[in-house]
Amino acid sequence: MSIDFFSDYTMTINGRAASSDKCFDAFNPATEAAIAKVPDASRDQLEETVATAKAAFPAWSTRPLSERQALVARIGDAIETHSDDFMRLLTLEQGKARAGAEWEIGGSVIWCREIAKQELPVHLAEQTEARTVEIRRVPLGVVGGITPWNFPVLLAIWKIAPALVAGNTMVLKPSPWTPLCTLKLGELLRDVLPAGVLNVVSGGNDLGAWLTQHPEVRKISFTGSTATGRKIMESASGNLKRITLELGGNDPAIVLPDVDVEKTAKKLFWAAFQNSAQFCVAAKRLYIHEDIYDELSQALVAYAATVKVGDGSEQGTDLGPIQNAVQFEKLKALLGDARASGLRFLAGGEIPEGRGYFVPVTIIDNPPENARVVTEEAFGPVLPLLKFSDIDDVVARANRTEYGLAASVWGKDIGKARSIAERIEAGTVWINEIHSFSPHVAFGGHKQSGIGIENALEGLAEYTNSQTIVTNHAE
Ligand code: NAD
């Protein structure tokens, strides 16, 4: 199918293009230029979309699993066929550099293919002459998917693939900051999926709220901030919707004194700054043992000087801009607070003049534990380095947060690193690596970083209800 990825953005409702009376602009964060008009769905359109998804559910949910799996794998094929357009559009609307776009679009293809291989087995709890007790998983109905602006394609696929394999239909709402790739994905899939199975609607935060309140929507799968997650939990209570919430994080990285400083510095740099640190699982607080603090902080600063921040579409750019004006203002305020508090900048800290939401790689020298740059999720390239000497103390400091998304521990003594990992209150703890994700590995937050799991069979199961069938053989 031939699609122009760079103009004419429409929603997908019941397998057809839909525009809206109202529109909003999408921007290129590297230039601040408006790049597209985006339909702003009305409440009536949302009603129509949910009705469409509901109407498509009986046929989709009773289609053999193998056919649903094959169609989800074909979503991956369709993305792969158009991967260059997706990458260019992703850079244009999100800002990320080419390597990041390749990672995200390549990952989306892999996720479709791998989730398409998953199947939830029927569990035979009892099989005797008298009776059979089977526990099987059945789809829920219409699922609402709501995604953020940092990885708009991959995080949408994390929802679409399992929801559809499990037999649900979906209404997907991308972030108003990054709707373009998702709208084009909907357009591309009009030829792949039966009408109504995947609907894509665009609009502001209100549209998300209407979706989460809707009585015909049986589940919300949400990725975004903890503040919005709380609102969704509240509004989902109306019809006791199932919810999966993947929320914010303030991930600690603990660096033990026996690491190879040079090698680890580079890994830690990317652990913190990948995607311009607009990454839920970025290392956001770096706890460094006092014995290597000076050496490692110097190595980080030296490495930072080799990294180019710029327009993601330009060759040689390593890190793109902040994705949107609101987040840019938040980061400026955070930097202003750090400066006013007298914190010492080892790198960055000054916002350059000119167009584009650019924040330089900023590294802050051992701020107090209660500084805002330590307690808040910056969601941008502002990294505090923190000194520690005692393991019990650093574990307590690492856990002193409402979040519990992920963490990492770095050290040659694996036994010691492992014993620290076990004490961290987080859904994922990496040892001597970071950000290795897989469609077959469960991912989810502890504490206020979320509820539920994405990926793996546990993630697939969240798109189903458990149903027990008891058959008495005596009759
Ligand atoms: P956000 O919560 O502002 O928005 C996310 C989505 O929710 C958008 O589509 C938005 O339109 C929608 N929304 C806003 N208000 C709503 C409401 N009342 N009801 C329903 N939907 C509503 O988050 P963001 O700023 O786009 O993303 C950044 C946040 O996402 C960070 O905190 C980050 O850590 C988190 N995040 C978490 C993960 C994870 O897997 N845990 C992954 C990526 C991002």
Side-chain angles (χ1 to χ4, degrees):
M1 184 187 183
S2 154
I3 289 188
D4 177 3
F5 272 70
F6 300 92
S7 68
D8 196 15
Y9 297 93
T10 52
M11 304 187 286
T12 299
I13 302 176
N14 203 18
R16 287 191 294 270
S19 49
S20 183
D21 296 339
K22 271 173 58 193
C23 281
F24 61 95
D25 287 326
F27 295 91
N28 175 350
T31 61
E32 300 180 41
I35 49 172
K37 291 272 174 227
V38 181
D40 192 354
S42 66
R43 192 155 196 165
D44 284 348
Q45 279 179 308
L46 196 257
E47 287 297 330
E48 182 198 337
T49 312
V50 173
T52 282
K54 190 180 173 198
F57 176 71
W60 179 251
S61 58
T62 50
R63 216 166 153 155
L65 172 66
S66 59
E67 291 183 20
R68 294 200 305 262
Q69 288 171 321
L71 283 170
V72 168
R74 276 191 57 200
I75 299 176
D77 298 342
I79 297 173
E80 189 174 55
T81 304
H82 296 270
S83 58
D84 190 58
D85 282 330
F86 270 118
M87 287 174 207
R88 283 169 51 218
L89 185 59
L90 182 56
T91 293
L92 198 65
E93 69 167 336
Q94 206 285 332
K96 64 185 65 191
R98 179 72 182 193
E102 280 172 11
W103 186 83
E104 176 162 357
I105 300 303
S108 302
V109 174
I110 292 170
W111 248 258
C112 289
R113 291 179 179 156
E114 292 301 311
I115 300 282
K117 294 175 188 161
Q118 292 180 347
E119 176 176 355
L120 292 165
V122 176
H123 175 59
L124 264 183
E126 185 181 331
Q127 192 169 33
T128 59
E129 271 183 26
R131 62 213 283 256
T132 306
V133 178
E134 298 158 75
I135 302 163
R136 62 189 206 113
R137 311 292 312 198
V138 294
L140 300 166
V142 179
V143 171
I146 302 180
T147 49
W149 45 259
N150 56 345
F151 293 95
V153 182
L154 185 62
L155 295 178
I157 292 296
W158 280 25
K159 302 183 186 318
I160 297 168
L164 269 47
V165 165
N168 304 281
T169 57
M170 179 169 255
V171 177
L172 178 67
K173 190 204 86 67
S175 166
W177 297 110
T178 51
L180 302 183
C181 282
T182 315
L183 290 171
K184 285 295 166 189
L185 180 65
E187 185 179 338
L188 185 63
L189 299 182
R190 283 174 208 158
D191 277 0
V192 174
L193 298 168
V197 168
L198 175 68
N199 306 276
V200 180
V201 288
S202 48
N205 296 345
D206 283 354
L207 181 63
W210 299 335
L211 188 60
T212 56
Q213 288 156 10
H214 203 292
E216 298 290 359
V217 174
R218 299 271 176 83
K219 175 188 172 83
I220 294 289
S221 177
F222 170 77
T223 304
S225 64
T226 295
T228 307
R230 285 193 200 101
K231 289 186 197 159
I232 288 178
M233 196 168 178
E234 218 176 305
S235 58
S237 69
N239 65 336
L240 293 180
K241 284 184 186 63
R242 279 57 178 150
I243 48 173
T244 300
L245 304 177
E246 294 290 356
L247 308 177
N250 193 1
D251 297 3
I254 297 175
V255 192
L256 300 173
D258 62 352
V259 294
D260 176 328
V261 170
E262 274 308 311
K263 257 169 67 181
T264 313
K266 188 174 167 190
K267 290 182 189 166
L268 288 171
F269 179 89
W270 290 111
F273 292 107
Q274 194 67 258
N275 209 42
S276 297
Q278 302 165 112
F279 199 179
C280 53
V281 288
K284 291 176 182 142
R285 295 174 290 153
L286 222 58
Y287 289 100
I288 305 172
H289 192 274
E290 61 180 0
D291 289 356
I292 54 162
Y293 183 90
D294 291 342
E295 197 188 342
L296 182 55
S297 52
Q298 280 159 22
L300 278 165
V301 170
Y303 187 76
T306 69
V307 169
K308 184 169 176 256
V309 178
D311 185 330
S313 65
E314 283 171 12
Q315 258 203 341
T317 294
D318 298 304
L319 294 174
I322 297 307
Q323 198 281 322
N324 61 71
V326 172
Q327 187 63 23
F328 185 54
E329 291 305 321
K330 275 192 199 164
L331 285 161
K332 282 206 264 189
L334 194 66
L335 289 176
D337 176 81
R339 210 169 295 113
S341 314
L343 303 185
R344 199 165 92 90
F345 292 86
L346 296 177
E350 292 294 333
I351 305 285
E353 294 287 324
R355 310 292 287 170
Y357 307 130
F358 293 103
V359 174
V361 167
T362 297
I363 299 176
I364 297 180
D365 184 22
N366 203 26
E369 201 66 20
N370 63 357
R372 277 182 58 196
V373 291
V374 181
T375 58
E376 292 182 17
E377 180 192 35
F379 219 62
V382 180
L383 178 70
L385 307 185
L386 300 139
K387 210 179 275 191
F388 77 91
S389 55
D390 175 75
I391 296 296
D392 288 343
D393 171 61
V394 78
V395 168
R397 288 160 71 190
N399 287 335
R400 201 177 297 145
T401 165
E402 68 187 22
Y403 296 114
L405 193 57
S408 57
V409 185
W410 304 79
K412 284 206 181 105
D413 181 341
I414 300 293
K416 190 167 191 176
R418 175 70 208 250
S419 73
I420 294 171
E422 287 174 6
R423 296 170 65 191
I424 302 290
E425 299 167 349
T428 301
V429 186
W430 286 284
I431 297 173
N432 293 330
E433 64 170 48
I434 197 162
H435 303 160
S436 42
F437 288 98
S438 157
H440 305 298
V441 174
F443 175 69
H446 292 188
K447 301 196 286 190
Q448 293 187 48
S449 284
I451 290 184
I453 292 292
E454 288 198 291
N455 301 326
L457 291 186
E458 292 100 310
L460 185 61
E462 294 208 8
Y463 288 93
T464 64
N465 275 323
S466 169
Q467 184 183 55
T468 303
I469 298 187
V470 183
T471 309
N472 186 320
H473 300 303
E475 289 305 312

